[in-house]
Amino acid sequence: QVQLVESGGGLVQAGGSLRLSCAASGSSFSIGTMGWYRQAPGKQRELVATIRNGGSTNYADSVKGRFTISRDNGKNTVYLQMSSLKPEDTAVYYCNYNYFTRNYWGQGTQVTVSS
């Protein structure tokens, strides 16, 4: 069982930065893949970034070069550093944990980028 709690969302101006955090419960955090997804109003949830237990990362084309995903296994926490934010980044951001057939989601945190 894994529980995920996101934090760090808020209102930021275009061009600004924001850092999201996701705290996970469970001793198996370090062996799974962590990810960030987002869902904008009227749109489907989409992948933002993932990071494997070995540290390899994957990003959506729309955020490459602007967002950075990282993890601290000692703190059972995954981060999403967002820079050069654009209004189109506005969405609810969800933390995800995956290990084989196990898949867990956080409740989401709102990110709003004003122009």
Side-chain angles (χ1 to χ4, degrees):
Q1 299 292 326
V2 176
Q3 291 186 318
L4 307 172
V5 180
E6 303 97 331
S7 63
L11 175 64
V12 64
Q13 294 186 153
S17 300
L18 205 60
R19 185 179 179 86
L20 305 182
S21 298
C22 174
S25 64
S27 60
S28 298
F29 173 83
S30 63
I31 65 174
T33 297
M34 299 297 301
W36 287 97
Y37 292 71
R38 68 186 182 186
Q39 186 168 21
K43 298 182 179 180
Q44 295 185 2
R45 187 174 300 186
E46 64 176 354
L47 170 72
V48 176
T50 61
I51 182 167
R52 297 174 61 186
N53 63 310
S56 62
T57 58
N58 182 51
Y59 296 92
D61 289 340
S62 60
V63 306
K64 286 182 178 178
R66 300 189 299 118
F67 290 11
T68 300
I69 188 171
S70 62
R71 65 193 296 167
D72 185 335
N73 291 336
K75 297 181 178 179
N76 284 8
T77 302
V78 63
Y79 304 94
L80 184 67
Q81 178 65 52
M82 305 183 292
S83 300
S84 301
L85 283 163
K86 306 174 181 179
E88 51 262 44
D89 294 319
T90 296
V92 176
Y93 284 71
Y94 296 91
C95 180
N96 171 266
Y97 171 81
N98 175 261
Y99 181 68
F100 285 93
T101 61
R102 303 293 186 181
N103 203 51
Y104 300 89
W105 295 91
Q107 67 177 10
T109 185
Q110 176 70 48
V111 172
T112 303
V113 184
S114 64
S115 59

